Structure formats: structure tokens, C-alpha cells
């Protein structure tokens, strides 16, 4: 015979009913206790733990309905399943029993096998629910631990990014809109002064969260090492060295070879007022106040005009920092800057975001026109406008990628 560990409280004002039910339960290895009134039942439940209550309805003083209401209203006992076992068989009584919180309703006289089957069913449900609660508690504990680790890692990643005061020191004005998809970002930015020149880099690592963040940390570490040990700090040279380094690092693991970093590298030379750019699948955009757009800097340059403002869009080389099917040389493009020119670096997260009335992508053309439109604002207002436009466009759609936009006014 199966051994049960469940404890059941019988509540009935009729001693014969209590004796019959107690005999059946004890014979089937259940532990049975009894109460002859609603008040006694509530006192039992306040002092002892029970797995189930068999409850009569018609009792003097407090009826079974009120007892059930009070059981379900108490957070300490609300989880205990209540089964009405009563001579009341009309539909209204049955419906009322379920309304006050009972899980089942057995009419007297009852069949022993039916009683035991219903008991077993609800007690199995209770056991399953308790196991689920334990699993949920363990999962919540593990989730809390993981979130603590992620928040700490997020702070570490933030600490590796250039401090706001560093950018203020090197540029007349700037803003950084940095919106990770998760706590950790695959996007990153990096800056370094070398002599009287300043390097500014935006990277977009493949993947999000922890994998993307690890690639980002690797990218920043490699940038530091390359610029510490090489006299050639031209953007194209940095990208070439970085690509060679990543390929050598991951050459023993073919599975990682598909992971890569898109990157835009800018070298600002304040003495000559120039910007030298090279990109690995990431562009740069320059907004100028010149009355007419200048000549294209290369065959892929695009120009937009809005009143007295011109935006020049220079795409990067199609190769990434990683293994490419056909590798090509990175190109240095040097631009003569004018006072008030604004430089923009950005990942593809904004333009690829779904939203709007039709749930479509924002797309590059709309994004570049937005940059041109907001370029008349100061840095902080540009950041606010770009962020509000993104959130309005996204609406109820989920964010799909890390979003980073850096705006710089060198002079």
C-alpha cells in the first residue's frame, strides 16, 4: 500500500461523518485531524500545517462558506486546497462553493473510491505546485545573482569607456547617446591623446549582452596595446593591425571566426584642423555650414543639403575586424575641417530599429536627415532630440540592437 505523508483536516459537526472519513483516510495512510465547528477549524489551521481541508457546509454558528472565505483570505492558509463535502447538492450551492475558493465539491452520500481519487488528484496538484514554487524560488535566486553580476559587469564596462571630462578636454562640444540593448553592450567607444592629436573610435561588436561585451573589451584592450607600441597611428594602419591581431587570436577556433567588430576610427589634428578617417564597415558623417557641398571625397561619398547645412556621409571599407571572405586594404581619408563643423559616428542600431506606423525600419536616409536637422541644436539638445525620436519611433516595438551615436564639434 502506498504511504502518504499528507495531513488532512476534517471539519464537520456530525461525529458519525468525522468517524467515517477518519477511518477511510487512516486506512489509506493519510494523517487525519478533525474539528466540529468553523471556529475550531480556524484555530487548528492557525496552529498546525495541513495539506488539505475536507469541509462541511451546514454547521451551527459559522457555516462552511464563511470558513472557506477566511481560509482563503489569510495569506498563511490561502494555499491550502479546500474540498466541500456536503449534503447540499443544488447548483446554486455548488457554484457558491467554488466562488468562495473551494477546489472541488463532493456530495453526500459519497463513494469511497471517488473521494480517494479526488483527494489524490488535488494533493498531487498541491505537491506539483510546491515543487514549482521551490524551482521558481531557486530560479529567482539564481536570476538575482546573475543580475547582480551583470550590473557589476555593466559598471566595469562603463568604467572602460572614455569619461565625459576626457571628451570635454579635447573637443569644443560633444554628446554621446549610448543605449545598450541589454545591460552589457556590444557597442563601445574609445578615445586617446597621442601627442597633440586625438584618436576617437566607435566599435560595434557582433552580438549583444555578454558575448558582444567581451568582444568590446577585447577591442578596447587591443586598441590600447596597438597605439602604445606603434608609431603609425593612422586610422587605416590601426584597423589593419587590429584585424591581423583578431585573426591570429581566433585562428585556432573556427567557430569564433564569424565574430567580428565593425569600427570607425577618427584622428583629429587640431594643428592642421584636419580629420583623418578610416572605417571597417562603419561610416562617419560631417555636417558643415559651407554654402555649397564640397567635392566627393571618394566614389562612395554621399551629400545631403538642408538650407545652409551640408552633410557628407563617408562609408567605411566593407571589411570588418575579423575574418573576411575577401580582405581589402583600409583607406585613410583626410578632410579639411572648418570652424563649427560637426562630426558624427554611429552604429547601425538606430537606423535598423523597427517602429513607426507601419512597423518598418528607420533606415539610413531618414537617420542622416535627422542628423542634419538636429545639427543646429547644441550638443545636449541634439542628444535629447535623437533619443526622443528613437523612443517615439520604437513605440511598443522591442529595441533590437545596441544604439550609439557620438557627436563631436572639434572647434
Amino acid at each position: 500500500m502506498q504511504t502518504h505523508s499528507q495531513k488532512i483536516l476534517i471539519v464537520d459537526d456530525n461525529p458519525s461523518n468525522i468517524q467515517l472519513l477518519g477511518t477511510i483516510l487512516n486506512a489509506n495512510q493519510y494523517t487525519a485531524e478533525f474539528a466540529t465547528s468553523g471556529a475550531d477549524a480556524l484555530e487548528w489551521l492557525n496552529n498546525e500545517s495541513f495539506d488539505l481541508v475536507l469541509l462541511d457546509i451546514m454547521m451551527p454558528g459559522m457555516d462552511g462558506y464563511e470558513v472557506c472565505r477566511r481560509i482563503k483570505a489569510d495569506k498563511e492558509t490561502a494555499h491550502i486546497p479546500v474540498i466541500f463535502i456536503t449534503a447540499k447538492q443544488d447548483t446554486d450551492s455548488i457554484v457558491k462553493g467554488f466562488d468562495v475558493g473551494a477546489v472541488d465539491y463532493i456530495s453526500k452520500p459519497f463513494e469511497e473510491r471517488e473521494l480517494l481519487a479526488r483527494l489524490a488528484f488535488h494533493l498531487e496538484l498541491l505537491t506539483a505546485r510546491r515543487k514549482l514554487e521551490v524551482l521558481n524560488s531557486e530560479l529567482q535566486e539564481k536570476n538575482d545573482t546573475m543580475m547582480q553580476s551583470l550590473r557589476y559587469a555593466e559598471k566595469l564596462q562603463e568604467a572602460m569607456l572614455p569619461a565625459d571630462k576626457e571628451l570635454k578636454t579635447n573637443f569644443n562640444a560633444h554628446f554621446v547617446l549610448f543605449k545598450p540593448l541589454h545591460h552589457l553592450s556590444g557597442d563601445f567607444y574609445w578615445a586617446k591623446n597621442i601627442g597633440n592629436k586625438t584618436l576617437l573610435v566607435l566599435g560595434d561588436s557582433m552580438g549583444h549582452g555578454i558575448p558582444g561585451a567581451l568582444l568590446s573589451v577585447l577591442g578596447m584592450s587591443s586598441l590600447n596595446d596597438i597605439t602604445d607600441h606603434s608609431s603609425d597611428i593612422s586610422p587605416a594602419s590601426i584597423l589593419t593591425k587590429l584585424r591581423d591581431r583578431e585573426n591570429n587570436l581566433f585562428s585556432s577556433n573556427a567557430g569564433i571566426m564569424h565574430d567580428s567588430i565593425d569600427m570607425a576610427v577618427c584622428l583629429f589634428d587640431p594643428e592642421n584642423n584636419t580629420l583623418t578617417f578610416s572605417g571597417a564597415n562603419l561610416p562617419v558623417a560631417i555636417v558643415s555650414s559651407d554654402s555649397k557641398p564640397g567635392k566627393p571625397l571618394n566614389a562612395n561619398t554621399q551629400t545631403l543639403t538642408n538650407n545652409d547645412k551640408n552633410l557628407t556621409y563617408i562609408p567605411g571599407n566593407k571589411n570588418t575586424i575579423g575574418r573576411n571572405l575577401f580582405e581589402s586594404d583600409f583607406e585613410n581619408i583626410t578632410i579639411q575641417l572648418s570652424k563649427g563643423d560637426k562630426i558624427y559616428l554611429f552604429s547601425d542600431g538606430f537606423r535598423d530599429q523597427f517602429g513607426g506606423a507601419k512597423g518598418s525600419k528607420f533606415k539610413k536616409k531618414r537617420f542622416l536627415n535627422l542628423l542634419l536637422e538636429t545639427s543646429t541644436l547644441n550638443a545636449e539638445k541634439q542628444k535629447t532630440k535623437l533619443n526622443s525620436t528613437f523612443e517615439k519611433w520604437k513605440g511598443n516595438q522591442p529595441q533590437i540592437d545596441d544604439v550609439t551615436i557620438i557627436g563631436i564639434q572639434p572647434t
Side-chain angles (χ1 to χ4, degrees):
M1 181 177 294
Q2 183 180 2
T3 299
H4 299 284
S5 59
Q6 287 96 336
K7 190 175 179 180
I8 299 174
L9 177 63
I10 304 167
V11 187
D12 200 308
D13 64 324
N14 188 321
S16 298
N17 291 337
I18 290 174
Q19 183 176 5
L20 174 61
L21 287 169
T23 299
I24 293 172
L25 295 179
N26 288 330
N28 286 274
Q29 305 302 307
Y30 291 108
T31 299
E33 301 290 354
F34 67 90
T36 57
S37 69
D40 288 344
L42 295 175
E43 185 175 354
W44 262 112
L45 291 166
N46 283 333
N47 294 290
E48 298 284 344
S49 296
F50 288 91
D51 296 295
L52 187 141
V53 176
L54 286 173
L55 180 60
D56 187 25
I57 291 177
M58 296 179 290
M59 296 183 295
M62 189 186 306
D63 66 13
Y65 294 133
E66 181 60 24
V67 174
C68 188
R69 283 194 194 96
R70 296 193 184 190
I71 292 173
K72 295 302 171 182
D74 188 338
K75 65 179 182 180
E76 299 296 327
T77 58
H79 66 283
I80 302 174
V82 175
I83 298 177
F84 281 119
I85 183 163
T86 177
K88 293 174 71 68
Q89 301 180 20
D90 60 286
T91 300
D92 288 344
S93 297
I94 295 172
V95 171
K96 186 175 180 180
F98 285 112
D99 285 344
V100 296
V103 297
D104 210 340
Y105 196 103
I106 300 174
S107 299
K108 296 176 183 176
F110 58 84
E111 289 287 338
E112 179 178 334
R113 288 188 303 161
E114 180 186 354
L115 170 68
L116 292 172
R118 293 186 184 225
L119 281 177
F121 174 75
H122 289 293
L123 288 168
E124 285 176 7
L125 283 181
L126 178 65
T127 300
R129 186 167 67 245
R130 284 173 173 168
K131 288 180 179 179
L132 183 59
E133 288 171 354
V134 170
L135 288 174
N136 283 338
S137 177
E138 293 175 350
L139 182 60
Q140 185 62 50
E141 184 178 350
K142 290 178 180 178
N143 185 64
D144 289 344
T145 300
M146 183 179 70
M147 289 305 299
Q148 289 175 5
S149 297
L150 281 175
R151 281 191 287 269
Y152 184 67
E154 182 181 12
K155 291 184 180 298
L156 290 176
Q157 187 180 42
E158 288 175 359
M160 296 184 68
L161 300 174
D164 190 64
K165 63 181 181 181
E166 294 179 55
L167 298 177
K168 281 184 178 178
T169 300
N170 292 291
F171 302 107
N172 184 50
H174 80 280
F175 73 84
V176 178
L177 179 61
F178 188 63
K179 297 172 71 71
L181 174 61
H182 302 302
H183 287 273
L184 297 175
S185 176
D187 286 3
F188 67 94
Y189 54 101
W190 175 92
K192 186 173 184 177
N193 290 329
I194 300 177
N196 66 338
K197 299 178 181 179
T198 301
L199 279 165
L200 179 64
V201 173
L202 173 63
D204 181 357
S205 304
M206 179 177 288
H208 315 112
I210 294 174
L214 288 174
L215 272 176
S216 297
V217 170
L218 179 61
M220 286 187 277
S221 175
S222 296
L223 285 167
N224 280 316
D225 191 50
I226 289 170
T227 54
D228 282 345
H229 296 91
S230 175
S231 59
D232 185 354
I233 58 168
S234 71
S237 175
I238 290 173
L239 288 175
T240 300
K241 290 183 174 68
L242 190 58
R243 182 173 63 186
D244 292 343
R245 177 178 292 224
E246 302 303 285
N247 286 341
N248 290 334
L249 181 62
F250 292 139
S251 61
S252 62
N253 192 326
I256 303 179
M257 291 314 301
H258 298 291
D259 292 341
S260 60
I261 305 174
D262 295 341
M263 190 174 290
V265 182
C266 290
L267 179 64
F268 294 90
D269 182 350
E271 183 176 335
N272 297 302
N273 201 25
T274 59
L275 160 66
T276 302
F277 163 77
S278 188
N281 216 34
L282 279 188
V284 66
I286 305 163
V287 173
S288 175
S289 297
D290 291 340
S291 59
K292 294 181 180 179
K295 294 180 179 179
L297 297 166
N298 63 22
N300 297 315
T301 301
Q302 300 176 33
T303 303
L304 300 176
T305 301
N306 184 354
N307 296 326
D308 62 342
K309 296 287 185 182
N310 301 305
L311 182 147
T312 302
Y313 173 86
I314 310 169
N317 185 289
K318 288 296 184 182
N319 282 192
T320 67
I321 303 302
R323 180 65 60 86
N324 297 278
L325 186 59
F326 300 104
E327 290 191 350
S328 57
D329 293 336
F330 292 110
E331 176 188 9
N332 281 320
I333 300 174
T334 299
I335 304 106
Q336 185 68 51
L337 299 176
S338 300
K339 185 174 178 60
D341 285 354
K342 295 180 179 179
I343 317 301
Y344 297 94
L345 301 177
F346 42 88
S347 62
D348 57 6
F350 196 122
R351 72 184 192 193
D352 287 346
Q353 178 61 45
F354 290 97
K358 298 181 179 180
S360 57
K361 285 187 176 183
F362 197 83
K363 294 186 178 179
K364 183 181 77 173
K365 184 177 180 180
R366 185 185 283 114
F367 176 71
L368 294 179
N369 277 305
L370 176 63
L371 286 182
L372 189 55
E373 175 192 340
T374 60
S375 66
T376 57
L377 304 174
N378 65 37
E380 193 58 36
K381 288 183 177 179
Q382 285 185 77
K383 178 180 178 179
T384 300
K385 178 64 175 178
L386 290 168
N387 185 61
S388 63
T389 302
F390 178 82
E391 292 299 328
K392 183 178 179 181
W393 178 264
K394 180 170 71 69
N396 295 324
Q397 298 273 4
Q399 184 174 333
I400 65 167
D401 199 357
D402 302 314
V403 173
T404 305
I405 305 172
I406 303 174
I408 296 293
Q409 183 177 332
T411 60

